[in-house]
Amino acid sequence: MATKSFVLKVWRQDGPDSPGTVEDLTEYAKDVNEHASFLEMLDLINERLMADGKRPIEFDSDCREGICGQCGCVVNGQAHGSQRGTTVCQLHMRSFEDGQTIVVEPFRATAFPVIKDLVVDRSAFDKIQQAGGYVSVPTGPKPDANSFKIGKEVSDRAFDAAACIGCGACVAACPNASASLFTGAKITQFALMPQGAPERKRRVSRMVETMDDLGFGHCSNIGECEAACPKEISLESIAIMKREYLKAMLAGS
Ligand code: FES
């Protein structure tokens, strides 16, 4: 079994109002299986910390398959680490050098307050989603399978936007802490499809205004969000959101 050891520094913060500090956990980061995922490495560190009677590192995770969007932290200054298109739960220790320094911090944004260590409150995303990120389905008989004709190119673009897992890496990576990539993806997946047409104007105006109210910054087209996104959501989503919003405003929605 090939193992690696790391110089590990982790952000520790007891609660939302505590100051927080970087703790050197190098002594716990020795002989880590190089095929362990990043979160499995944190599990191992936690077992060792608890064996020493110390508080384990708090971090979020659920599926550990890059699907749910629950995990997320900043690894060496990059949201989800440096491997493109990869969540931190799918990042493996073989991609790090033996002896490498690894600094782990929470996602930082005013709208994502730190709860404890690497855990942040991302409920602001839920509020944006609740403001309009859905389609209403009338009751009645189900529509025939082919009653909506949708071209492959359009359905592919809508599907790409729908791949957003809402992890918040886009906000953490953006110098303005903008949620435009997330909100744009959630608007785009419906704006391109006929099923999203009835609530189109109301959806974009409510979601964009909720995003602004929650303390996220504005998009200034830097593009860090696209580079950090583990699902490689395109900046096109932001362009579509802006166009949809302008149309809604001109229509008085
Ligand atoms: S734990 Fe589900 S995406 Fe990482």
Side-chain angles (χ1 to χ4, degrees), residues 11 15 21 29 43 103 110 124-125 135 147-148 151 163 172-173 181 197 239 250:
W11 181 262
T21 186
D43 289 338
V103 181
T110 303
F125 269 11
V135 289
S147 55
F148 288 119
L181 195 68
L250 291 173

Side-chain angles (χ1 to χ4, degrees), residues 39 60-72 80 87-90 165 167 230-231:
L39 299 189
D60 268 329
S61 75
D62 190 355
C63 71
R64 300 202 174 192
E65 293 180 344
I67 299 168
C68 72
Q70 276 298 301
C71 66
H80 289 296
T87 52
V88 76
C89 63
Q90 292 282 286
I165 55 175
C167 63
K231 296 296 156 187

Side-chain angles (χ1 to χ4, degrees), residues 211-248:
M211 171 180 74
D212 290 343
D213 289 346
L214 288 167
F216 292 104
H218 287 283
C219 173
S220 50
N221 297 319
I222 295 169
E224 289 287 336
C225 54
E226 184 186 65
C229 176
K231 296 296 156 187
E232 303 186 295
I233 304 292
S234 164
L235 288 176
E236 185 201 23
S237 292
I238 300 179
I240 290 174
M241 175 183 72
K242 289 183 175 178
R243 193 167 65 229
E244 291 289 314
Y245 187 69
L246 186 60
K247 279 194 220 163

Side-chain angles (χ1 to χ4, degrees), residues 21-57:
T21 186
V22 173
E23 186 176 6
D24 191 334
L25 296 174
T26 303
E27 64 179 296
Y28 297 95
K30 296 188 191 318
D31 302 323
V32 177
N33 186 328
E34 67 171 358
H35 299 302
S37 72
F38 198 86
L39 299 189
E40 286 167 346
M41 186 216 26
L42 292 182
D43 289 338
L44 178 68
I45 305 287
N46 278 347
E47 282 172 20
R48 293 172 175 176
L49 282 168
M50 287 189 286
D52 267 1
K54 295 187 177 169
R55 182 170 76 73
I57 305 161

Side-chain angles (χ1 to χ4, degrees), residues 122-145:
R122 285 173 287 184
S123 60
F125 269 11
D126 299 334
K127 294 186 178 114
I128 296 172
Q129 189 76 13
Q130 286 159 4
Y134 50 81
V135 289
S136 296
V137 179
T139 54
K142 72 175 177 54
D144 290 338

